[in-house]
Amino acid sequence: MNYISAADSSTTQIHRDSRWSSHQFLASSNMLAMVSIGKHDSMDAATDVPLKLEATHLQSTSSAPPSRKQPVGFTTLPAPVRNKIHSHLLDTELVNAGQPNVSYTHTIKKSTLHFNASRPPFPVASALFFVNKQISKEARDFFYSKNLFIKFEIYSPDARHAKTMLEDSGVLFSVASPEAVEKCTTHAMDLTIVEKGSAVKRTSVIFPAQYLPRLVNFMEQASKASGAWAAGHALFLSVVNMFGLEKARVQGDLLELFRSLTDIGKVEVDGKELLEGYAYALQRSMMAATFEADVWLKAVTEMTDRAEAAHDKSDYETATQQCQAATISITYAYLTRAETLHSQPESFVKSLQHLRWRTELTLATTLHAKHSPTIASSSPLISASTPTAAQKQIAADLLAAETAASHALSLSTDSPSPASNPWFRSLPPELIPPNKPDWFTDAERGRSWYVLGLTHMALGECLFAAGDLERAAGLLRDNEDADKAFAQARNEINWEVRPGVGLRKAAWVARRETE
């Protein structure tokens, strides 16, 4: 993706109109009172699968360190050091650390709001975008992958209403003219709010996605304060995803919080850049009179159903994405609807725990099956000093599969260990739903041991795999696949290699730079 060509025209115009970079749109803000999560924590809650766009993890420009005679410059610094420098210059949260608050004044010209700021709301070092080709590409890739932006338009019969929404929600960052903002194309989502069918556009602003919870919180509080507020507004959401990010991540970072809204008069979600079924389910949730736990559980169950169907068709990418989306939805629901979900009967919680178990097991199975044609039974990783990109991907996927299989086993055995219980990764202890070992059958526990054993064998941990598969064979009873896998793992044990070497080796490969 060439970010430079997409942004240059709008950058020049906004710079002329406001005398600062087109990317200076932001100010510091707080998240929802209950949802204290970062820009990309939603993906952390889903899985450890790496994103396709890893611009925030740059690679060194050379395979060997610079010689003593070679002058040390920015491009010769190690990738972690360059990333650290980029974060302090380009991260939308860090650049405002320690800066004084921004105050705004406004005027109305031709029915449109125009704002001026007491200081640049977003003091990013945009000069990095114009140094040279390499530094420009690295800086832009870091900036646009680390910070997702939303273009926000408000239609209202009263300009004061638009001003109140911008100021009280804390998303007033753009002080360029509305005409210049509308020309910007480098953003991740278009969001339009129309009040009472108004045809008058009062303003266009751009703000970073990490401040979206403040806007959603404002709309939720306005709905509670006035029963007519939500019903009198229409919302239009369209994900652009011009950065080619994973769909599950985009849904989690940009759309999942909108599920906390209900009784909206009209909602239209463009589903072209979303996973199958997501747009319709989100629209239905936002237009419902109230949040209904059973309806929500059905919507998430459909995500896992679609993941299993995609796995059966060998569409492993879609299966992975649907599993991630289901996990993100579950996590957000317990962060925003904890009181409602914890008041449900035991049968509901049992169904939820089974759903989470299915999701984790499907993810583990998918990530293992994704590489089954190319990996050896003992280990897929070649002991090279510099692994290939394919080896890195195999290592990362198998490690993620091992984590997901451990999660599934933890759920089916009701393990209290935070190290393997997936709920402890994303929820505070007081919000974690209860679980009971008798909610799962021996066959379900056996499946969990079986998938974990296959993953350990692929990682070269045959001693671990033999233990896993022996338990699986005992629980599944006369299962030919489990018996064969156990015999294979036992025969391939190398007693001269210490247990854990395969896992450490995979972690090393996943972290190393490619050739």
Side-chain angles (χ1 to χ4, degrees):
M1 173 69 68
N2 186 346
Y3 306 116
I4 301 177
S5 60
D8 279 349
S9 60
S10 57
T11 301
T12 303
Q13 182 62 38
I14 294 184
H15 183 74
R16 291 172 179 170
D17 289 348
S18 57
R19 299 184 181 180
W20 48 277
S21 166
S22 65
H23 309 292
Q24 294 175 318
F25 292 132
L26 318 178
S28 59
S29 180
N30 295 322
M31 305 292 275
L32 278 173
M34 183 172 288
V35 189
S36 179
I37 46 180
K39 291 187 286 293
H40 305 317
D41 285 22
S42 61
M43 290 308 300
D44 297 335
T47 179
D48 290 334
V49 181
L51 297 173
K52 286 182 178 179
L53 177 57
E54 288 291 353
T56 57
H57 299 280
L58 305 174
Q59 299 175 6
S60 295
T61 54
S62 61
S63 59
S67 64
R68 294 182 180 179
K69 296 181 180 180
Q70 181 180 353
V72 177
F74 181 74
T75 56
T76 63
L77 295 174
V81 177
R82 300 208 305 277
N83 278 318
K84 197 70 174 180
I85 295 173
H86 282 147
S87 66
H88 285 282
L89 297 175
L90 300 172
D91 189 298
T92 58
E93 292 178 313
L94 292 180
V95 295
N96 267 306
Q99 295 285 340
N101 292 333
V102 185
S103 60
Y104 295 91
T105 58
H106 77 281
T107 57
I108 299 178
K109 301 177 182 178
K110 297 181 180 179
S111 301
T112 303
L113 289 165
H114 294 254
F115 294 90
N116 293 309
S118 59
R119 70 167 177 86
F122 182 30
V124 67
S126 56
L128 286 175
F129 301 157
F130 307 101
V131 176
N132 59 41
K133 288 184 178 180
Q134 179 182 340
I135 294 178
S136 172
K137 183 181 186 306
E138 288 185 358
R140 287 175 182 266
D141 286 354
F142 181 95
F143 182 76
Y144 288 119
S145 63
K146 189 73 172 178
N147 312 293
L148 299 180
F149 294 94
I150 296 173
K151 182 184 289 187
F152 181 32
E153 297 181 340
I154 302 177
Y155 288 75
S156 173
D158 191 336
R160 293 173 299 176
H161 293 176
K163 176 178 177 290
T164 299
M165 183 179 296
L166 290 172
E167 292 181 342
D168 291 359
S169 63
V171 295
L172 179 57
F173 298 96
S174 170
V175 294
S177 68
E179 295 81 7
V181 172
E182 289 177 2
K183 294 179 181 178
C184 289
T185 58
T186 311
H187 57 284
M189 186 176 78
D190 288 311
L191 169 61
T192 301
I193 292 182
V194 180
E195 181 183 2
K196 300 176 182 177
S198 174
V200 181
K201 182 189 294 186
R202 294 299 182 179
T203 188
S204 295
V205 299
I206 287 182
F207 67 92
Q210 66 263 33
Y211 301 110
L212 182 61
R214 296 200 61 172
L215 177 61
V216 175
N217 185 51
F218 170 86
M219 291 189 285
E220 185 177 15
Q221 296 304 315
S223 299
K224 292 179 179 178
S226 171
W229 193 94
H233 285 76
L235 271 64
F236 302 87
L237 300 93
S238 176
V239 172
V240 181
N241 196 14
M242 66 179 302
F243 312 122
L245 302 174
E246 290 185 335
K247 293 182 179 180
R249 169 190 166 179
V250 173
Q251 291 174 181
D253 285 346
L254 301 180
L255 297 177
E256 194 60 37
L257 271 177
F258 283 97
R259 289 186 188 270
S260 62
L261 301 178
T262 55
D263 201 29
I264 303 296
K266 180 179 181 180
V267 178
E268 290 186 6
V269 182
D270 188 345
K272 289 196 296 292
E273 294 293 335
L274 307 177
L275 293 172
E276 179 188 354
Y278 187 87
Y280 173 74
L282 180 60
Q283 291 175 182
R284 182 177 57 185
S285 174
M286 295 174 65
M287 295 176 67
T290 58
F291 173 78
E292 298 180 6
D294 290 337
V295 175
W296 165 80
L297 183 62
K298 180 181 178 181
V300 182
T301 301
E302 289 171 353
M303 296 181 189
T304 303
D305 292 342
R306 286 189 286 267
E308 292 177 341
H311 175 272
D312 293 341
K313 296 177 181 177
S314 299
D315 185 359
Y316 300 128
E317 179 63 25
T318 297
T320 300
Q321 292 292 300
Q322 290 284 7
C323 287
Q324 291 177 339
T327 304
I328 292 170
S329 293
I330 293 172
T331 302
Y332 270 81
Y334 268 89
L335 287 169
T336 58
R337 302 285 189 179
E339 183 176 355
T340 301
L341 294 177
H342 278 285
S343 65
Q344 299 302 310
E346 183 177 281
S347 59
F348 175 90
V349 185
K350 180 180 178 180
S351 297
L352 174 70
Q353 292 287 14
H354 268 265
L355 175 62
R356 184 69 189 265
W357 171 79
R358 282 179 55 206
T359 304
E360 297 288 352
L361 199 66
T362 302
L363 178 61
T365 305
T366 297
L367 292 172
H368 179 271
K370 177 181 177 181
H371 301 291
S372 59
T374 57
I375 61 177
S377 59
S378 58
S379 176
L381 310 176
I382 301 174
S383 56
S385 58
T386 304
T388 65
Q391 290 169 336
K392 281 175 62 68
Q393 188 64 56
I394 292 173
D397 284 346
L398 289 180
L399 289 172
E402 199 265 350
T403 299
S406 298
H407 288 170
L409 181 63
S410 173
L411 292 169
S412 63
T413 59
D414 192 25
S415 171
S417 171
S420 56
N421 191 314
W423 296 106
F424 280 90
R425 291 173 54 82
S426 52
L427 295 178
E430 64 272 14
L431 296 184
I432 295 175
N435 193 14
K436 296 181 180 180
D438 59 5
W439 286 355
F440 293 87
T441 65
D442 285 346
E444 290 167 337
R445 281 185 280 272
R447 285 183 59 196
S448 304
W449 281 114
Y450 178 69
V451 174
L452 183 60
L454 293 182
T455 306
H456 277 150
M457 193 155 56
L459 285 164
E461 296 289 356
C462 292
L463 183 60
F464 292 161
D468 301 333
L469 294 168
E470 183 178 20
R471 293 180 176 87
L475 290 168
L476 294 175
R477 300 176 185 176
D478 300 325
N479 184 292
E480 186 176 347
D481 291 337
D483 293 339
K484 286 183 178 180
F486 170 52
Q488 181 181 356
R490 184 176 55 188
N491 292 334
E492 293 188 6
I493 294 176
N494 186 345
W495 296 103
E496 296 181 358
V497 179
R498 297 178 60 182
V501 171
L503 286 167
R504 290 194 295 272
K505 181 180 177 182
W508 178 84
V509 171
R511 291 194 305 266
R512 295 290 292 178
E513 296 176 359
T514 58
E515 293 177 341

